Amino acid sequence: MDEFEKSKNQGTAPIPPKGNPYSCPDCSGSGLLAAVSPPAANKEFPHIAIIGGGIGGIALAIACLHRGIPFTLYERDKDFNSRSQGYGLTLQQASKAVQGLGIFSLKEGVISTRHLVHTPEGKVIAEWGTRKWLQSDIKTSSKRTNVHIARQSLRLALLEELGGNHQIKWGHQLVDFKEGETEGVELNFHVNGKIKKAKADLVVGADGIRSSVRRLLIGEDTAPLRYLGCIVILGICPLSVLQDLNSPLLDSATVFQTANGNERIYIMPYASDSVMWQLSFPMSEKEAKTLSAKGPQALKEEACRRIEWHDPIPQILSSTEEIYISGYPVYDRELLQPKLLEKSGPVTLIGDAAHPMSPFKGQGANQALLDALSLARSIFKGCRPLSDWRKTGIRKSALVEFESEMLERSAVKVRDSAEAAQFLHTEIVLHESDAPRRWFGGKEH
Ligand SMILES: Cc1cc2nc3c(=O)[nH]c(=O)nc-3n(C[C@H](O)[C@H](O)[C@H](O)COP(=O)(O)OP(=O)(O)OC[C@H]3O[C@@H](n4cnc5c(N)ncnc54)[C@H](O)[C@@H]3O)c2cc1C
């Protein structure tokens, strides 16, 4: 394939090999062997300070735990529930990655089998998903399922796999760090109004879109937050209050979206007994910040005023309680260039800290989970006992390879998510075709 691409697609295209239809009998493809307890931490590996106990940070801690890599996980929040973190995620390619983290079933996860796109009047202009494909007998991979789960339910499942709450140092906000005079990194945290010091061999910024590790490493002026021209308003509505509608769209297995070329609403199962809606539309950054700051009541009024569309959308919006409504302007950042990290020594980034993206492709958490597994595997391989990583340096031993894989894999998702923020709010979304809404290089497809 490399040769074919280098020759600018001359000659016959190679046929990609078929995936192995049988799972490994020992690990079912997860790469992990069942054990009563995780291996003891091996001090020959570097000690990792993970900053941020969100999706990516906890996943990295689990992947280190499974490999005997010592770590400390720091989170600025005081406890698991200290902020409202209410929105749902869709696990796409990362449903496989969670198995690599030892999680073989997500009990709170809901699988969708049908995806519909409507006009505001309720006419279906696109349908896809296993329900349609199986009916029309089109061959498709049965392995590709989308799992919908509340972010906090996924985070809780990860925390359980890690061994519980005490595995996180809550209430630790990273303030700064510097490379130690001889070796390692010295870190300062704000803890209960005091500064607390810590040390590590490697620092991983898993501290989200407004990452402090990233700011300390490359500054805020390099690839600052980039406004993507729209606002999203989110809400979670219990199905019990919508029962009388008897809508087939509310069967806990259907995802549907409706758009008019400006506003777009996307509704998916949040849990087996509730749905999450995400309304988005173009707005100036200033207006979006003002509306977001006005709070849930103003956001709900704006949503109900703009969307008087087909059933059950108006009923869902009006039945959503204000405590379950939030809204914010959408940002990402320009792609991180690998050379910016070249001089970062034993410090790296994962998840939104490295490559924040708009939520319109549902890829942020998926990429954060893949980053976590990839980094732990690189450390395990490059810094194994007797590898001399102290002399060679962690960057050369593990980080260069990891960052190049991570940045290449996520770049396309950042770009696609930014494009989706534009075209989902144009007439392109109303194109009739049974496939996810896409934009191919400046031309409708
Ligand atoms: C509405 C919405 C819908 C989305 N839908 C999807 C979806 O369907 N699929 C998908 O894959 N992704 C989705 N995403 C994106 C996804 O939520 C993020 O990409 C993902 O959570 C990123 O994980 P992370 O670990 O990098 O950061 P986060 O999960 O944001 O975690 C960062 C953590 O770091 C902590 N922290 C920050 N600063 C410090 C500090 N100085 N010291 C210590 N701790 C600190 C924070 O408190 C936080 O807990 C969605 C996002 C939104 C907003």
Side-chain angles (χ1 to χ4, degrees), residues 51-57 74-77 83 87-90 151 155 172-174 206-208 212 234 278 328 350-353 359 362-366 368:
I51 314 300
I55 304 290
Y74 301 95
E75 167 57 50
R76 76 174 164 196
D77 286 349
R83 261 180 315 133
Y87 60 85
L89 297 168
T90 305
R151 179 176 178 273
R155 215 171 156 227
H172 281 62
Q173 175 168 11
L174 180 81
D207 48 349
S212 305
L234 301 164
Q278 179 185 286
Y328 55 88
I350 63 169
D352 280 5
Q363 274 292 327
N366 281 270

Side-chain angles (χ1 to χ4, degrees), residues 37 44 52 59 75 79 94 189 201 214 226 292 301 318 334 339 345 348 359 375 378 388 405 409 427 440:
S37 53
E44 299 293 313
E75 167 57 50
D79 57 48
F189 292 91
D201 298 307
R214 181 183 174 121
R226 173 170 67 178
S292 159
E301 279 166 16
S318 61
E334 225 176 78
K339 65 174 187 309
T348 193
L375 176 56
S378 292
D388 230 2
E405 183 275 327
R409 165 173 43 76
E427 303 247 314
F440 288 94

Side-chain angles (χ1 to χ4, degrees), residues 7 42 51 63 68 86 105 149 153 157 179 226 233 235 259 298 323 340 343:
S7 71
N42 185 338
I51 314 300
S105 86
I149 186 163
S153 301
E179 267 193 68
R226 173 170 67 178
I233 304 181
I323 46 162
L340 278 173
K343 300 217 161 52

Side-chain angles (χ1 to χ4, degrees), residues 15-30:
I15 300 165
K18 287 212 171 82
N20 190 334
Y22 305 106
S23 293
C24 164
D26 295 329
C27 76
S28 310
S30 68

Side-chain angles (χ1 to χ4, degrees), residues 237-244 250-252 271-275:
C237 182
L239 291 175
S240 56
V241 297
L242 304 165
Q243 252 166 9
D244 292 348
L250 301 175
D251 62 356
S252 300
S272 55
D273 57 359
S274 54
V275 286

